[in-house]
Amino acid sequence: MTATAVLSVASEIYPLIKTGGLADVAGALPAALAREDVVIRTLLPGYPAVMSKLESAEPARAYPSLFGGPANVLAGRAAGLDLFVVEAPHLFDRIGNPYLGPDGRDWGDNALRFAALARVGADLGKGAIPGYTPDIVHAHDWQAALAPVYLHYDGGPRPKTVLTIHNLAFQGHFPGSILHAIGLPPRAMSIDGVEYFHGVGYLKGGLQFADRITTVSPTYAREILTSDFGMALDGLLRARASDVEGIVNGIDDTVWNPATDAALAVNYSALRIDMRVRNKAALQQRFGLTVAAQAPLFGVVSRLTHQKGLDLLLEELPDVVARGGQLALLGSGEKPLEDGFRAAAAAHPGSIACIFGYDEGLSHLLQAGVDFVLVPSRFEPCGLTQLYGLRYGATPIVARVGGLADTVIDANDAALSAGVATGVQFAPPSTPALAYALKRAFALYADDAAMRRTRLNGMRADVSWRGPAKRYAALYRALARSEQ
Ligand code: ADP
């Protein structure tokens, strides 16, 4: 059997440049799939953060003009990843966030920048670099979504295509006037093409033409077919439902390993779970909470946005404190939410404490120290915090949506008596449902044996990339074999 060759087209990749989960997935898949006999090369924009890390870069193809300036495709490696990089200074030689200018707003030419990425992806897919002909072009999110669109309108032989939705909230919607500039034919401006609310929809076009569509959990894959979660693309997604699949994300279990994690006060494993309490004390100290081993300690590590449902938690905090619970929150985001948590901390010193900002190391200590990690999201394509919680013995309390529904086993009576529970789920995302979940969490905490079992089940759950990698490999192989 020959290896399946995949060209992954992504606008960010861990550890070179990251704003979200897309970077983690793009960065993890190549190594995870190498074990499955799938060879992935990733095509990236040549941002300074990428160019400066590129080793042994060789020019592989020149574009005299790529949407307004000359460009080169370089073949090279960085951070152990095999890359093609679009060196196009007029589009990508900009420091900082890949999408936003220094004023915090989208770059005015994002339509051209990411059309260029997709255009090159389509060309490489068709064999523009001698000796390289991928079986599959795998585009991630709206920034790469035009790759299947170009391959469709170019006509002629083409590789198979996969489009992955990491978050349907971001769709790449631009005025219709850009159609000519991005090199699509006038006939593409139709309901069966890229036309979307009188403009051009990049994700919409990709969803129209990709051979397969994936998203990052089976439940989210079902949810986006409904008007409640479909963000105006549910009609198109329903029309393509038989080509939509959900594959959960994994985590890097070498970076997230409580037995070796340098950010913890004390390392531990499932076999030495009693050591964990020393991280709880260190965390309470760090946050300025009362150091109390017996107090049930709840934690949050999150962007503070409406999506994450933390306004629901705010309403329940007085009750959590009244029952003897504590909260440690690490996050940043919308001011009203920050203000709300700041006020709660002021009202309950020693019991509620917040650190506003982004702190990777502290997020590790938090997962190692809290008893429960709370993720009350209104929607969640996959979610990572609950996976880290499982691995670290911080029992997740989650809304039953998206990937949260797929990765946590609710501690209902059946799961408890079968000995398989890993957390607490609630639905719908509302204050009364969360209140009930918290009540159940307090009851679980009071039952030493059940709590210990639930924690250990979580720590022993496989949340690595091994399972998901097999699913991607099966998808790629089936697609590579299928007829056009
Ligand atoms: P989303 O991508 O929607 O923000 P995820 O749960 O998929 O949600 O991923 C969030 C990631 O960001 C996790 O790795 C989480 O630990 C991390 N994170 C979020 N906020 C912070 C913060 N303030 N400090 C450190 N890490 C954070």
Side-chain angles (χ1 to χ4, degrees):
M1 192 175 68
T2 55
T4 307
V6 176
L7 176 69
S8 172
V9 185
S11 56
E12 44 184 286
I13 194 164
Y14 180 84
L16 301 177
I17 179 133
K18 168 172 169 172
T19 72
L22 152 63
D24 290 319
V25 178
L29 283 181
L33 277 149
R35 289 191 287 264
E36 303 295 329
D37 211 21
V38 173
V39 178
I40 298 188
R41 285 194 80 135
T42 308
L43 176 70
L44 284 178
Y47 316 114
V50 174
M51 297 301 292
S52 65
K53 303 261 174 45
L54 202 58
E55 302 151 15
S56 61
E58 297 278 346
R61 181 182 161 92
Y63 285 81
S65 176
L66 180 68
F67 300 159
N72 275 303
V73 181
L74 305 177
R77 280 176 68 78
L81 299 158
D82 288 316
L83 302 177
F84 291 115
V85 174
V86 186
E87 182 188 34
H90 63 295
L91 300 173
F92 299 127
D93 188 10
R94 304 174 196 179
I95 288 176
N97 183 292
Y99 317 119
L100 310 177
D103 57 359
R105 299 159 71 123
D106 288 343
W107 289 108
D109 58 352
N110 274 352
L112 288 180
R113 299 171 77 221
F114 296 104
L117 174 69
R119 178 67 267 177
V120 175
D123 293 343
L124 267 51
K126 290 190 300 179
I129 295 178
Y132 183 70
T133 46
D135 302 294
I136 311 271
V137 171
H138 185 167
H140 294 274
D141 271 352
W142 73 264
Q143 293 90 341
L146 285 187
V149 177
Y150 285 122
L151 286 166
H152 171 82
Y153 287 107
D154 288 350
R158 64 168 181 85
K160 302 290 175 30
T161 54
V162 178
L163 175 62
T164 294
I165 302 166
H166 296 270
N167 191 338
L168 198 56
F170 305 105
Q171 301 186 352
H173 191 209
F174 301 102
S177 53
I178 59 148
L179 191 78
H180 180 69
I182 60 175
L184 284 172
R187 70 192 158 91
M189 199 63 188
S190 81
I191 186 79
D192 301 327
V194 297
E195 193 278 329
Y196 189 53
F197 292 105
H198 309 295
V200 173
Y202 282 24
L203 187 66
K204 188 262 175 171
L207 295 176
Q208 194 81 42
F209 295 117
D211 295 312
R212 293 282 189 283
I213 296 162
T214 76
T215 186
V216 289
S217 68
T219 295
Y220 194 59
R222 283 198 305 279
E223 288 170 344
I224 59 177
L225 306 182
T226 68
S227 55
D228 281 354
F229 291 89
M231 304 209 172
L233 284 169
D234 47 294
L236 170 53
L237 284 161
R238 276 196 299 278
R240 303 240 25 218
S242 60
D243 295 316
V244 178
E245 181 179 355
I247 303 177
V248 286
N249 291 336
I251 63 170
D252 184 332
D253 56 5
T254 55
V255 173
W256 288 89
N257 180 357
T260 54
D261 191 331
L264 310 192
V266 179
N267 290 115
Y268 62 97
S269 64
L271 292 176
R272 307 187 68 198
I273 188 147
D274 297 335
M275 310 276 287
R276 213 177 163 274
V277 69
R278 288 162 60 187
N279 288 308
K280 180 171 180 176
L283 187 72
Q284 286 168 325
Q285 225 156 23
R286 176 82 181 267
F287 271 83
L289 292 165
T290 307
V291 178
Q294 291 313 314
L297 175 54
F298 297 84
V300 171
V301 185
S302 186
R303 293 185 291 121
L304 303 179
T305 66
H306 185 71
Q307 175 193 341
K308 300 294 177 181
L310 292 163
D311 48 313
L312 307 176
L313 175 62
L314 260 182
E315 291 184 47
E316 289 310 309
L317 285 180
D319 204 47
V320 168
V321 174
R323 289 168 187 263
Q326 297 183 335
L327 174 77
L329 175 138
L330 169 63
S332 63
E334 291 167 8
K335 187 161 183 316
L337 279 169
E338 283 196 14
D339 288 347
F341 280 101
R342 197 173 283 116
H348 304 284
S351 296
I352 296 179
C354 308
I355 295 182
F356 298 108
Y358 191 95
D359 186 333
E360 189 78 28
L362 186 54
S363 77
H364 286 235
L365 178 63
L366 190 143
Q367 296 279 13
V370 300
D371 296 300
F372 297 96
V373 64
L374 278 157
V375 196
S377 305
R378 293 189 163 86
F379 71 95
E380 195 63 76
C382 180
L384 290 173
T385 30
Q386 84 281 10
L387 301 181
Y388 300 140
L390 290 169
R391 179 109 170 99
Y392 277 53
T395 297
I397 301 173
V398 302
R400 191 183 300 131
V401 293
L404 302 172
D406 294 328
T407 54
V408 174
I409 301 174
D410 181 57
N412 58 36
D413 287 348
L416 283 174
S417 70
V420 296
T422 60
V424 175
Q425 291 190 343
F426 65 94
S430 67
T431 318
L434 173 61
Y436 187 60
L438 289 166
K439 189 172 157 208
R440 291 175 58 212
F442 276 101
L444 183 64
Y445 189 80
D447 180 341
D448 279 346
M451 185 73 224
R452 186 182 169 88
R453 183 73 192 257
T454 304
R455 244 195 246 290
L456 287 173
N457 286 343
M459 292 187 76
R460 289 175 179 146
D462 183 359
V463 290
S464 74
W465 275 104
R466 284 179 286 278
K470 287 191 194 312
R471 302 274 313 271
Y472 277 108
L475 168 71
Y476 291 147
R477 272 193 215 107
L479 192 53
R481 277 198 308 268
S482 66
E483 295 301 316
Q484 199 85 34

